[in-house]
Amino acid sequence: MEALISFMQRHSTGKVVVSLFVLTMAVYLTMLFYSIPAVTAFAHQLPIFDLSPFGYSFNYATELLDTLGVEGRNLYLFTQLPLDFIYPGLFSITYSLLLIWLFGKTFNENSKVYYLAFVPVLAGIFDYVENVFIIKMINSFPNLQIATVKVASIFTLLKSSFTMLFFVLLIVGFALLLKQKVLSNRK
């Protein structure tokens, strides 16, 4: 694990982080302004699975997939989900390196705080598992299995929780950096 952190520390330069951030945001904004609205247009105000941070029930999953209809489910399957198989990997790499870079500004290179850089990786892994189960739900509809929906919902909740945790870490990291800058300017 230390070797991986060391590798990440060597590659978390400002240029690398900014370049990856731009690429990650390009994919995210494409989903946000194109694929998610395209699918949501068929959902009649029901949030899609990806946008249900607290999970969903079997009845909700059934209602959403029914409301989407064949065209909406196909858009989900062939437009939103392909992008959402690119995004978690970019999210994981970009934001892990961002945390490593940020922590490198305020902590010594041997600090255990660098292990927190794996939070975005876990969020990405949970997102991939969520996507696999969304595909399974779409492909099996209308013969959904309760267990499939429960597992999908759990991974949606895990993805959302670890994504939120990443943003908390990011805010704390920037606050510590700002505090360090303010204290060094007072000297």
Side-chain angles (χ1 to χ4, degrees):
M1 197 64 79
E2 287 82 20
L4 183 56
I5 290 172
S6 178
F7 175 83
M8 291 167 64
Q9 286 171 324
R10 285 192 309 274
H11 291 87
S12 63
T13 65
K15 285 182 182 179
V16 169
V17 171
V18 168
S19 298
L20 284 169
F21 179 78
V22 168
L23 182 59
T24 302
M25 288 308 296
V27 173
Y28 177 72
L29 292 172
T30 302
M31 289 192 308
L32 188 64
F33 292 112
Y34 172 67
S35 62
I36 290 173
V39 174
T40 303
F42 289 91
H44 303 280
Q45 305 304 317
L46 294 173
I48 62 174
F49 300 119
D50 308 85
L51 302 179
S52 301
F54 301 108
Y56 32 85
S57 66
F58 177 79
N59 289 339
Y60 183 84
T62 303
E63 180 184 4
L64 175 60
L65 291 171
D66 185 48
T67 302
L68 285 172
V70 173
E71 192 174 349
R73 290 191 300 272
N74 283 336
L75 272 170
Y76 208 149
L77 199 56
F78 299 112
T79 303
Q80 168 56 21
L81 286 167
L83 287 168
D84 204 15
F85 269 93
I86 297 168
Y87 182 70
L90 287 171
F91 180 95
S92 297
I93 294 165
T94 300
Y95 296 128
S96 289
L97 289 177
L98 175 59
L99 288 176
I100 293 280
W101 176 83
L102 188 58
F103 295 157
K105 302 291 182 190
T106 53
F107 293 95
N108 106 25
E109 69 181 30
N110 297 320
S111 174
K112 298 294 182 197
V113 76
Y114 290 101
Y115 286 105
L116 294 172
F118 291 105
V119 167
V121 173
L122 290 171
I125 290 168
F126 296 144
D127 197 353
Y128 280 123
V129 175
E130 171 198 45
N131 291 341
V132 168
F133 278 88
I134 291 171
I135 290 168
K136 187 171 180 161
M137 288 189 297
I138 292 170
N139 286 333
S140 66
F141 185 79
N143 301 313
L144 282 178
Q145 299 293 314
I146 292 173
T148 302
V149 175
K150 282 185 179 181
V151 172
S153 181
I154 288 168
F155 280 98
T156 297
L157 181 62
L158 286 169
K159 171 197 78 172
S160 301
S161 298
F162 276 79
T163 300
M164 252 186 278
L165 179 56
F166 157 71
F167 283 108
V168 169
L169 291 171
L170 187 63
I171 291 167
V172 169
F174 275 116
L176 290 172
L177 179 61
L178 182 62
K179 178 183 172 186
Q180 180 184 16
K181 296 285 184 191
V182 168
L183 290 176
S184 69
N185 285 340
R186 286 184 181 174
K187 292 180 181 182

